[in-house]
Amino acid sequence: MVPPLIRPPRPFKNPNYTKNTNRRTKNLKTVLGQEREKERIERERRRQERDSQAMDIDEVKKELVEVNEEISTYLSIEAPPSVLPQRHYCDITGLEAPYTDPRTGLRYHDKSVYELIKNLSPSAAKDYLAARGVNPVVR
């Protein structure tokens, strides 16, 4: 019988790891301040370039529009639409609504709200649906 190979336990941390001493953490206030400073410097540089060149007023207006469109910062970033499904909220309470009443189409949070929805008149159900912006069709 061959004895199984016994390996020495591996260390939890890499023994060759060295911490980067040049890296410094920054809080949000510092990051935002640096972003504003970069924006200010960039605007000042572009303003100086514009002043050095003799341009007509129309060209300056076009460049100002282009400058505002080009700069994307932490404060002015545009995000794509979310890939997560849209959240549904209760038409009565405003809480998150995992359920929908099949008869009226109203969304509700729990069974106590459902009891209330079952006792609603069709006109009241239409009013709730209209408040949500749905074309009210009550059966």
Side-chain angles (χ1 to χ4, degrees):
M1 180 167 171
V2 178
L5 295 175
I6 299 176
R7 296 182 182 169
R10 295 178 61 190
F12 178 71
K13 293 183 178 179
N14 183 353
N16 300 326
Y17 174 78
T18 56
K19 186 176 179 180
N20 185 355
T21 56
N22 296 331
R23 185 172 177 169
R24 193 180 113 217
T25 58
K26 301 173 186 175
N27 60 22
L28 180 61
K29 187 175 181 180
T30 306
V31 171
L32 291 176
Q34 289 176 345
E35 287 285 331
R36 284 190 205 105
E37 184 65 21
K38 285 179 185 176
E39 285 180 33
R40 188 189 63 75
I41 291 170
E42 182 65 21
R43 282 192 307 264
E44 186 64 32
R45 184 186 63 79
R46 289 180 188 226
R47 188 176 298 125
Q48 288 174 355
E49 286 177 4
R50 240 181 314 163
D51 292 343
S52 66
Q53 300 171 354
M55 294 185 191
D56 359 350
I57 295 173
D58 293 334
E59 291 179 20
V60 172
K61 286 181 181 177
K62 287 179 186 175
E63 188 172 330
L64 281 175
V65 170
E66 291 173 4
V67 167
N68 289 338
E69 291 175 354
E70 287 176 9
I71 299 175
S72 66
T73 63
Y74 185 77
L75 298 174
S76 66
I77 193 162
E78 293 182 13
S82 175
V83 293
L84 299 174
Q86 185 178 7
R87 289 190 173 191
H88 299 290
Y89 295 98
C90 177
D91 291 318
I92 310 296
T93 63
L95 299 171
E96 232 177 295
Y99 313 108
T100 303
D101 179 30
R103 186 175 60 87
T104 61
L106 290 172
R107 296 182 181 137
Y108 59 95
H109 177 68
D110 58 8
K111 75 177 186 178
S112 63
V113 179
Y114 180 65
E115 295 297 326
L116 181 83
I117 289 176
K118 284 197 308 189
N119 297 330
L120 282 178
S121 66
S123 63
K126 283 183 183 181
D127 291 341
Y128 277 113
L129 288 171
R132 186 174 22 140
V134 175
N135 187 13
V137 177
V138 180
R139 297 178 209 118

